[in-house]
Amino acid sequence: MTTTAYRTCPLCEAACGLTLTLNDHNRVTSVRGDNQDPFSQGFLCPKGASLGQLDEDPDRLTTPLVRKGDQWREVGWDEAFRVVEAGIREVIDTHGRQALALYFGNPTYHTMAGFMYRQALTEISGTRNIYSAATADQMPKHVSCGLMFGDPFAVAVPDLDRTDYLLVLGANPMVSNGSLCVAPDFPRRLKDLRKRGGKLVVIDPRRTRTAEVADEHNFIQPGTDPFLLFGIVNTLFTEHLVKAGDTVSGVEVAGIEELRRMAEEFPSELVAPICKVPAETIRRLARELSSAPTAAVYARIGTCTAEFGTLAQWLVDAINVLTGNFDKAGGVMFAKTAALEIFRTGQPFSTGKFRSRVRGLPEVNGELPVATLADEIETPGEGQVRALLAIAGNPVLSAPNGPRLDPALANLDMMVCVDPYLNETTKHADVILPPPRMLQSAHWDFLVQIIMVRNYARYSEPVLPLRPDQYHEHDILARLFLILAGMGADTGADTAHEMVVGQLLEGLTSAPGSPVAGTDPAELRAGLEGTGPDLFLDALLKFGGYGLTLDSVRKQPHGIDLGPLQPRFHELVCTASGKLELAPAALVDDVERLRARMKRPSPELVLIGRRHLRSNNSWLHNVPALVGGSNRCTLQINPADVARYGLGAHALIRSATGELEVTLEPVDSIMPGVVSLPHGWGHDGTTQSVAAKEPGVNVNTLTGDTAVDTPSGNAILNGVPVTISPLLTE
Ligand SMILES: Nc1nc2c(c(=O)[nH]1)N[C@H]1C(S)=C(S)[C@@H](COP(=O)(O)OP(=O)(O)OC[C@H]3O[C@@H](n4cnc5c(=O)[nH]c(N)nc54)[C@H](O)[C@@H]3O)O[C@H]1N2
Ligand SMILES: Nc1nc2c(c(=O)[nH]1)N[C@H]1C(S)=C(S)[C@@H](COP(=O)(O)OP(=O)(O)OC[C@H]3O[C@@H](n4cnc5c(=O)[nH]c(N)nc54)[C@H](O)[C@@H]3O)O[C@H]1N2
Ligand code: SF4
Ligand SMILES: [Mo]
């Protein structure tokens, strides 16, 4: 007897629908793409195909672990929470709440528990020491959207299925499957774009798989995208190619003249030698973007995790506005999610509501840069971080200068991790609380749905039940919430769920203009179904714009098509002026850093990152089917550089931060003067037995944590100056 289950893949932003087959013993015997899913239409990638093996990984933790010295002890849940409470309480009682830090890793964007409890934990913790993977990823995008549109979550995505022209900078969706642009089967969508006569242009220091399927690829000097983009803006103005009117979707556009004046400083001839894209190409790109019936500029990791990350994101959207492609079919647009978008506050965005203790770095979106977490742990004084609660993150491998965190975490008075693995980060924990398997949890993409290229929703029931000795992740987070609330380790998780949902309903009923203003929250609560995140989801669906409920989404396990994206910028804009700001003051000020960069020569050799198709940050190296082959931690280098530096099979690579011995992979697909090393490797002290056999090296040994992208505090992981030399032993 086999059973069939339908399920959204939780591994990346593509959110593919999967069809799983399970045998009598509840083992996954096959994973296929769900042909009936209206959005992914049967697509899946090798990671999705291995979901069963990943989920059944025998190295996953199944019981809470408590550490004493270097000994781990398996304990029951109640005991684990009591140890957590005692440790956290002691730190808070002795040193105050600022001594506590929270770190939220990438999977918290994907789990329902993460969405429900992230804000709740942040608020109840009472600490300003909130950190996440966002400041090693997309924070520049939030900041540019916040400053230009008022709402940091107003992230416009390319209208991939209708555009006639797509300019991609610093993204490799053929491998990553898309990021801040949810488009399952990105490869087919790119193929379709070209089939309908559209053009795909890629700007990347490597000739990536995406570049290979494009009409055109141009190399770029890492870290210099704003120069290229300013060159395009300059051409749009000087050649009278600007198509933007006074308004976009009825919203007034401000700052166009100031942007024009700024762009005067960056004519294509001047920026070309800096970004290494020929001036004629820059001008042609501007002409093509302006003359295409519809066009979209899309930029990701390579442009975000860079020295001028926020400036790049700003200029991308400025070009989308100037070419008349903003909030327009075929241009860039905003999705509308099925669940109420509670993360949109409607208040104008600002940063710096508080600053980090040691370096005075401004808060952004309520958090501090992960690049300063080690400073806060190491530096004595009032407010020094002495306890860390890390949920679904592996900052020792993912944060800039990650290895610095290794001894820092070891010196904490208390560390608690919610993670299914004992790994480079969690090995420092006093208590590890393992969530159950993915297939034992329900799934709904609260956040991922705001960046979809088509409005769509899909709910997945848990495929497998919990064993009696297991704990749902939302129940783990609930009990941590109660501990932080001072309500004790023994209070049941449901109390926290009710508090969080109660607060949500309270907010909805007290918001002026709300359709339920004045209603008794208890009455609304009585009409909701489910528990934990299901309850939360039911509430948000009932107040969402599509008339869905938990019950109705449950009945449609293949997903629900909610139609193509519609113009909606007028609903989202919430700048102080009420206008779309093309020249926000904070970004105008930051252009000063670009001017300074103009006077500096490019370093002789710089390091960039790389993602592999069969990998996902640090935690997919333990599935035999996903490792090996091309998925290896090698340094890609142009053969000309191998010869120039007289290198053998291996080399010593050094930055201002650290050094590594690396295995070389000479390829002519990377531009001379640039080398690339993937992140998420450097496995050490992990019980992931497969990963430990091929550990690789930690690229973040080389990336620095002293400099950040100024407006966003984001880490600079691409364009890191390095030197390389032969290994003396070779
Ligand atoms: N040099 C360099 N560094 C980078 C990047 C780069 O391109 N170059 N990329 C950056 C980016 S984009 C990101 S998003 C960050 C990621 O940074 P992190 O989020 O810190 O790192 P991950 O490797 O994604 O770690 C995820 C952790 O979550 C655990 N996990 C998996 N599933 C679950 C679950 O369901 N629940 C819980 N509680 N835990 C789970 C895994 O075991 C793992 O320990 O790394 C950044 N670091
Ligand atoms: N298979 C796989 N998929 C993933 C992940 C994974 O680890 N593996 N991680 C997931 C996560 S957390 C994220 S955030 C997304 C990221 O999704 P993407 O943004 O598509 O990520 P990358 O594949 O790292 O692509 C970044 C590209 O930027 C280029 N680049 C580097 N520096 C520069 C620069 O200065 N300028 C320009 N123009 N280009 C530059 C790099 O060569 C690289 O090709 O992927 C997600 N999907
Ligand atoms: S692209 Fe792969 S990893 Fe991403 S959601 Fe689809 S199947 Fe899962
Ligand atoms: Mo990411």
Side-chain angles (χ1 to χ4, degrees):
M1 255 281 288
T2 59
T3 49
T4 301
Y6 303 103
R7 167 106 210 151
T8 301
C9 177
L11 293 181
C12 87
E13 293 171 45
C16 300
L18 304 179
T19 304
L20 308 173
T21 315
L22 291 96
N23 67 14
D24 283 345
H25 307 288
N26 277 342
R27 297 290 300 265
V28 176
T29 52
S30 87
V31 184
R32 283 169 294 126
D34 178 0
N35 290 320
Q36 295 178 72
D37 184 295
F39 197 27
S40 59
Q41 299 178 9
F43 177 79
L44 88 169
C45 81
K47 285 186 287 182
S50 301
L51 189 71
Q53 291 159 57
L54 176 65
D55 200 48
E56 290 166 7
D57 184 351
D59 291 338
R60 281 181 75 100
L61 304 177
T62 51
T63 334
L65 295 181
V66 171
R67 185 173 56 82
K68 252 229 149 65
D70 52 9
Q71 293 301 308
W72 291 97
R73 190 164 56 88
E74 293 190 353
V75 299
W77 287 95
D78 287 337
E79 183 179 348
F81 285 115
R82 273 184 223 123
V83 178
V84 172
E85 180 179 38
I88 298 269
R89 183 116 305 279
E90 184 168 347
V91 169
I92 292 178
D93 288 349
T94 321
H95 304 286
R97 286 194 172 250
Q98 300 309 320
L100 173 66
L102 271 56
Y103 176 85
F104 296 98
N106 172 277
T108 58
Y109 297 100
H110 296 275
T111 60
M112 291 178 79
F115 183 78
M116 180 172 180
Y117 273 100
R118 197 170 154 147
Q119 190 60 25
L121 283 167
T122 297
E123 282 171 18
I124 208 77
S125 71
T127 178
R128 293 170 164 183
N129 279 302
I130 306 294
Y131 303 84
S132 86
T135 47
D137 187 343
Q138 82 285 4
M139 197 57 100
K141 186 73 185 174
H142 292 307
V143 172
S144 86
C145 294
L147 294 171
M148 294 176 81
F149 318 137
D151 176 359
F153 293 96
V155 173
V157 297
D159 188 9
L160 200 55
D161 297 338
R162 293 185 286 190
T163 194
D164 297 288
Y165 190 101
L166 183 65
L167 174 61
V168 175
L169 303 107
N172 186 11
M174 290 291 288
V175 165
S176 69
N177 290 300
S179 181
L180 293 188
C181 175
V182 176
D185 202 357
F186 221 114
R188 196 255 307 154
R189 290 171 202 268
L190 291 180
K191 213 187 265 169
D192 287 352
L193 158 70
R194 298 190 61 209
K195 251 200 248 160
R196 62 177 181 267
K199 183 167 180 181
L200 172 63
V201 179
V202 173
I203 310 284
D204 199 300
R206 290 188 302 125
R207 193 168 60 250
T208 58
R209 286 201 197 182
T210 308
E212 271 162 17
V213 302
D215 296 272
E216 177 181 331
H217 165 238
N218 296 287
F219 283 137
I220 183 167
Q221 173 69 31
T224 66
D225 295 76
F227 290 101
L228 164 69
L229 294 164
F230 251 138
I232 291 177
V233 174
N234 176 292
T235 309
L236 290 173
F237 280 111
T238 53
E239 298 193 4
H240 307 289
L241 302 170
V242 172
K243 287 177 157 179
D246 296 340
T247 61
V248 166
S249 301
V251 177
E252 208 177 311
V253 178
I256 197 160
E257 182 51 29
E258 193 167 2
L259 180 61
R260 187 193 62 74
R261 251 185 290 119
M262 262 186 298
E264 275 179 359
E265 294 175 55
F266 302 95
S268 48
E269 277 79 13
L270 202 65
V271 298
I274 303 168
C275 65
K276 299 192 182 150
V277 179
E280 184 45 43
T281 305
I282 298 174
R283 290 194 292 269
R284 179 172 49 76
L285 291 175
R287 290 175 203 136
E288 289 177 1
L289 283 166
S290 168
S291 65
T294 61
V297 186
Y298 165 64
R300 249 331 249 134
I301 278 289
T303 66
C304 267
T305 54
E307 189 178 359
F308 307 109
T310 309
L311 290 180
Q313 309 318 305
W314 162 51
L315 293 168
V316 161
D317 273 331
I319 294 171
N320 286 323
V321 172
L322 293 175
T323 56
N325 286 299
F326 190 77
D327 202 32
K328 201 181 110 187
V332 297
M333 303 191 82
F334 301 93
K336 185 173 173 68
T337 71
L340 185 72
E341 296 161 342
I342 39 165
F343 37 83
R344 301 194 196 282
T345 63
Q347 296 302 312
F349 174 79
S350 65
T351 65
K353 290 185 230 14
F354 54 88
R355 287 182 174 264
S356 69
R357 178 182 63 105
V358 179
R359 278 159 63 185
L361 295 171
E363 153 281 342
V364 178
N365 271 2
E367 58 180 279
L368 294 171
V370 69
T372 196
L373 175 56
D375 301 316
E376 295 295 334
I377 299 175
E378 286 172 2
T379 314
E382 174 136 6
Q384 178 182 10
V385 168
R386 294 163 193 271
L388 175 70
L389 174 53
I391 301 168
N394 192 355
V396 169
L397 295 192
S398 63
N401 196 5
R404 181 178 165 199
L405 279 169
D406 201 46
L409 298 182
N411 284 332
L412 286 168
D413 294 349
M414 183 70 188
M415 179 166 164
V416 180
C417 290
V418 182
D419 204 289
Y421 287 111
L422 180 57
N423 63 23
E424 301 72 24
T425 295
T426 63
K427 72 179 181 198
H428 296 298
D430 296 282
V431 184
I432 306 179
L433 304 166
R437 290 164 49 181
M438 286 172 279
L439 298 190
Q440 293 173 309
S441 306
H443 189 80
W444 176 273
D445 285 302
F446 284 101
L447 278 173
V448 164
Q449 285 182 15
I450 65 167
I451 42 170
M452 291 190 158
V453 301
R454 200 175 163 91
N455 292 318
Y456 160 90
R458 177 165 165 146
Y459 176 81
S460 308
E461 304 267 10
V463 175
L464 299 172
L466 281 196
R467 289 195 324 262
D469 61 338
Q470 285 181 304
Y471 234 72
H472 278 300
E473 179 149 13
H474 52 261
D475 290 335
I476 299 175
L477 300 190
R479 288 188 68 174
L480 293 174
F481 172 91
L482 294 165
I483 289 171
L484 294 181
M487 293 171 68
D490 293 329
T491 315
D494 278 338
T495 306
H497 302 328
E498 292 296 338
M499 284 169 74
V500 173
V501 171
Q503 202 183 11
L504 169 72
L505 298 176
E506 198 74 53
L508 288 171
T509 51
S510 58
S514 151
V516 287
T519 314
D520 179 4
E523 194 184 309
L524 294 177
R525 168 63 189 93
L528 297 177
E529 268 194 82
T531 171
D534 278 352
L535 185 61
F536 200 65
L537 173 62
D538 196 32
L540 294 179
L541 284 174
K542 283 179 175 149
F543 296 105
Y546 295 95
L548 297 170
T549 61
L550 181 63
D551 185 50
S552 70
V553 296
R554 266 189 179 142
K555 288 181 177 137
Q556 299 177 76
H558 301 292
I560 309 164
D561 181 31
L562 299 168
L565 305 185
Q566 305 290 338
R568 68 174 303 219
F569 181 56
H570 56 286
E571 295 168 29
L572 302 177
V573 65
C574 59
T575 48
S577 63
K579 300 175 187 173
L580 188 164
E581 296 288 352
L582 273 184
L587 298 179
V588 171
D589 290 349
D590 199 39
V591 172
E592 200 47 47
R593 285 196 305 134
L594 265 195
R595 295 188 186 105
R597 170 66 178 82
M598 267 170 127
K599 298 185 193 120
R600 259 185 2 238
S602 289
E604 189 177 287
L605 191 67
V606 293
L607 173 77
I608 62 169
R610 179 163 98 248
R611 281 178 160 73
H612 291 124
L613 185 63
R614 290 175 298 131
S615 187
N616 198 24
N617 300 339
S618 74
W619 64 285
L620 254 59
H621 298 149
N622 208 45
V623 179
L626 296 179
V627 286
S630 61
N631 188 7
R632 292 190 50 228
C633 185
T634 53
L635 186 86
Q636 290 195 340
I637 181 167
N638 190 284
D641 286 328
V642 177
R644 182 154 65 120
Y645 296 108
L647 306 174
H650 303 88
L652 182 68
I653 177 166
R654 278 204 183 94
S655 72
T657 310
E659 61 178 48
L660 286 174
E661 284 183 18
V662 287
T663 305
L664 300 188
E665 182 189 347
V667 287
D668 64 7
S669 52
I670 192 160
M671 70 192 279
V674 182
V675 289
S676 162
L677 199 58
H679 73 284
W681 296 85
H683 298 296
D684 174 30
T686 171
T687 49
Q688 291 163 294
S689 53
V690 179
K693 276 191 216 132
E694 186 144 4
V697 293
N698 181 357
V699 64
N700 287 317
T701 307
L702 299 170
T703 60
D705 57 357
T706 48
V708 291
D709 169 51
T710 309
S712 67
N714 207 84
I716 301 169
L717 307 172
N718 282 293
V720 177
V722 288
T723 57
I724 196 161
S725 51
L727 271 190
L728 293 178
T729 49
E730 273 189 342

